[in-house]
Amino acid sequence: MTRLAALLSLALAAPAFAHDGHGAAGTHWHATDTWGFVVTLALVGAAVWFSRRK
């Protein structure tokens, strides 16, 4: 139960880590935001590539 409470607390506090303008409806980007999407797309591409049937 304690672990569940900790995870719930972290999930509810997550929006507080971003400053104004960020989030799903954010108005500006940083270079690190873009790199996060680039890395995510690369990982998804690698997962698809390596999971193909031969």
Side-chain angles (χ1 to χ4, degrees):
M1 186 66 173
T2 304
R3 187 176 290 170
L4 178 61
L7 290 174
L8 183 60
S9 296
L10 287 173
L12 293 174
F17 294 128
H19 61 275
D20 290 341
H22 282 275
T27 58
H28 68 274
W29 289 74
H30 295 284
T32 53
D33 298 332
T34 303
W35 278 113
F37 282 111
V38 169
V39 169
T40 301
L41 287 173
L43 290 173
V44 168
V48 169
W49 179 267
F50 288 115
S51 66
R52 295 183 311 162
R53 285 185 152 181
K54 293 184 179 182

